[in-house]
Amino acid sequence: MKQFLLHFLSISFVCTVANAQKSLPVYAITSDENNMQWLNIKLIDAGNGQVLKSIFSTTDKNVQLMKSGTNSLLNRTVETESPTASMVAAAAYSRGQSKFFFIPIRIPELRWADLSKGVPEYYSYSSPVLSNLNLNDAANHFTRMCMGADGNGYALTNDGNHLIRFTTDSEPQLMDLGNLVDAPENKDISIHNQCTSWGGDMIASTDGKLLIITQRSYVFEFSPKEKIATLLGQIKNLPQNFTTNGAAIDENGDLIIACSNGNHPYFKVDMNTLNAVAAFSQTASGINSSDLASHYLLRRSSANNGTYIERTTEAYKNKISIYPNPVTNNRVQLIFDNIENGEYNIQLFDVSGKQLMNKSVTISGNGQISFLDLHSGMSRGVYMVKVVNRELKTVFTDKVILQ
């Protein structure tokens, strides 16, 4: 009998360890039980819906929110009383930085929890990129966010007209990359349509693309550079009252989605068929989630094993980027990343090689942005942007499309 009991306990221990090894943790923005205030940050097992750890709760005492770069406390107001004040529907997790990023509803600040220490520390960064938006308008609420394969974070407004790229530094650089454009094959399901395409969440894939899963469970994909959103379809086999509010990739490479109300279980989605099945069989208290985040990518190429590619200085040496492209509002941003400081000229040519514009700029730091305002009378089509240094050597050239 004793030998049988030891054998039984041994089997139980092995099963417990095996189950622990199969844990599929994702970060989630959740509410307290029986309300719809999305203020808590939890680490949840996507395989069974159990809370593994509470990162932040509204009941936590002595939580301080600090200004990034200064470590001074943020001035207390009703909306800054706690890190997640005014609720959160967009979040992303950077494993390399051990930071959980989010943008609270109606607050023009990028905030994050630094999880590198035993007790999380909370920081906030203000940027004109956010404060220039009317955040009292629901169209400008940030409800989708993820970390891209390039190591940058991306956040998208409800209406799809503001794609924000941000770095994960202690002093983040935020850039408004402009609006998404519908692919012709989308037909009546536009990325800008409030009924079909607002809300939801965003994930990234190993091929560098971003995927939006809207609240109504439509799936779009786009490249952050071209920003042309292509409809892939709608997730099938979900309960009638299920809305997709959170999405993340787990360690097995599966897409996990969550609903913000109704105590639904998480669902797994086959990205080839868009068929959904329940991730676990029973509901769990507090499983309602307005957003999910993990450090895994959707595996679409052999570039890596599904984890984020950490940004390195060498990979971004002498890089200049153009946003938005295609151009829809006659203004182009040139972002200078890790390029030698000095005097440069930005030149614009038409397809015949005729120079249309020539603008001098002085680069004095990383992440500097220079705007190029295109003439309102310019014809739609393809133009060439060139950047030359003081020695008249071309350091950058790229096409820009004016729509």
Side-chain angles (χ1 to χ4, degrees):
M1 180 68 181
K2 181 179 179 180
Q3 187 176 17
F4 172 79
L5 181 60
L6 288 174
H7 179 66
F8 174 78
L9 291 175
S10 175
I11 293 175
S12 298
F13 175 77
V14 170
C15 291
T16 300
V17 171
N19 288 334
Q21 290 174 339
K22 292 180 179 179
S23 176
L24 308 174
V26 297
Y27 289 87
I29 302 293
T30 69
S31 63
D32 292 326
E33 193 171 1
N34 299 322
N35 71 32
M36 296 180 66
Q37 301 293 309
W38 314 113
L39 301 169
N40 301 325
I41 306 173
K42 298 184 185 298
L43 190 62
I44 292 181
D45 189 324
N48 58 30
Q50 299 300 311
V51 176
L52 301 175
K53 184 179 181 180
S54 175
I55 306 299
F56 172 78
S57 171
T58 53
T59 60
D60 292 346
K61 304 297 183 182
N62 301 320
V63 175
Q64 297 179 331
L65 181 61
M66 295 174 284
K67 293 182 181 179
S68 64
T70 65
N71 291 341
S72 61
L73 293 180
L74 202 67
N75 292 330
R76 292 287 190 177
T77 66
V78 173
E79 289 202 329
T80 60
E81 216 35 61
S82 72
T84 58
S86 80
M87 298 192 293
V88 173
Y93 175 61
S94 171
R95 183 184 188 184
Q97 299 286 338
S98 294
K99 293 177 180 178
F100 181 81
F101 290 91
F102 53 94
I103 299 177
I105 298 294
R106 297 187 305 278
I107 298 180
E109 298 170 6
L110 177 66
R111 296 182 176 181
W112 63 90
D114 185 342
L115 307 177
S116 63
K117 302 176 182 179
V119 178
E121 295 181 348
Y122 297 90
Y123 296 88
S124 181
Y125 182 78
S126 299
S127 169
V129 170
L130 301 179
S131 59
N132 286 340
L133 299 176
N134 177 13
L135 295 183
N136 289 320
D137 184 349
N140 293 325
H141 290 175
F142 288 94
T143 54
R144 291 77 74 95
M145 184 186 290
C146 70
M147 297 301 301
D150 58 4
N152 291 307
Y154 292 89
L156 184 67
T157 53
N158 263 331
D159 62 7
N161 286 329
H162 298 278
L163 176 67
I164 306 300
R165 186 181 75 176
F166 62 89
T167 64
T168 59
D169 311 315
S170 58
E171 290 288 322
Q173 298 292 321
L174 279 72
M175 303 169 192
D176 190 340
L177 307 185
N179 60 291
L180 301 186
V181 178
D182 278 300
E185 56 266 36
N186 292 358
K187 297 181 180 178
D188 296 333
I189 308 297
S190 169
I191 189 63
H192 305 288
N193 186 287
Q194 182 175 355
C195 296
T196 61
S197 307
W198 283 27
D201 205 351
M202 191 157 58
I203 60 171
S205 60
T206 54
D207 58 3
K209 292 186 177 181
L210 304 180
L211 288 87
I212 301 167
I213 298 90
T214 74
Q215 180 172 295
R216 293 301 177 187
S217 305
Y218 286 95
V219 182
F220 294 84
E221 71 170 5
F222 67 95
S223 162
K225 184 173 182 179
E226 285 79 22
K227 300 186 301 301
I228 299 175
T230 301
L231 177 66
L232 301 183
Q234 187 176 24
I235 297 173
K236 300 180 281 290
N237 304 323
L238 293 172
Q240 186 174 2
N241 59 346
F242 186 98
T243 58
T244 299
N245 304 104
I249 302 299
D250 68 21
E251 62 186 356
N252 290 334
D254 294 321
L255 172 64
I256 303 296
I257 59 175
C259 181
S260 63
N261 61 87
N263 254 12
H264 289 287
Y266 288 174
F267 278 78
K268 288 185 179 181
V269 180
D270 184 329
M271 291 302 293
N272 293 316
T273 63
L274 295 185
N275 286 323
V277 296
F280 48 89
S281 58
Q282 296 180 348
T283 59
S285 177
I287 197 62
N288 296 335
S289 302
S290 64
D291 204 84
L292 300 179
S294 75
H295 69 269
Y296 293 104
L297 296 166
L298 180 65
R299 300 171 189 173
R300 281 181 151 186
S301 70
S302 58
N304 58 27
N305 64 353
T307 58
Y308 288 104
I309 303 170
E310 295 302 327
R311 182 172 177 165
T312 62
T313 302
E314 191 62 30
Y316 283 77
K317 185 178 181 181
N318 294 333
K319 180 173 180 181
I320 302 173
S321 303
I322 296 180
Y323 297 98
N325 194 8
V327 182
T328 56
N329 61 358
N330 289 86
R331 167 169 273 201
V332 176
Q333 301 179 46
L334 276 80
I335 301 98
F336 294 81
D337 269 323
N338 294 309
I339 193 168
E340 184 179 352
N341 292 347
E343 302 292 328
Y344 294 86
N345 279 73
I346 304 173
Q347 302 172 346
L348 182 71
F349 300 85
D350 63 17
V351 291
S352 70
K354 179 182 177 181
Q355 182 172 310
L356 305 177
M357 300 179 68
N358 185 31
K359 178 182 178 179
S360 298
V361 295
T362 301
I363 304 303
S364 57
N366 292 338
Q368 186 170 328
I369 301 175
S370 182
F371 293 98
L372 194 63
D373 290 313
L374 307 183
H375 300 308
S376 59
M378 290 177 59
S379 302
R380 296 182 181 181
V382 178
Y383 295 85
M384 184 68 67
V385 173
K386 182 183 294 186
V387 178
V388 298
N389 60 17
R390 292 183 63 181
E391 290 75 33
L392 301 182
K393 179 181 178 181
T394 301
V395 298
F396 172 81
T397 182
D398 199 2
K399 293 179 182 178
V400 64
I401 301 172
L402 179 59
Q403 289 190 337

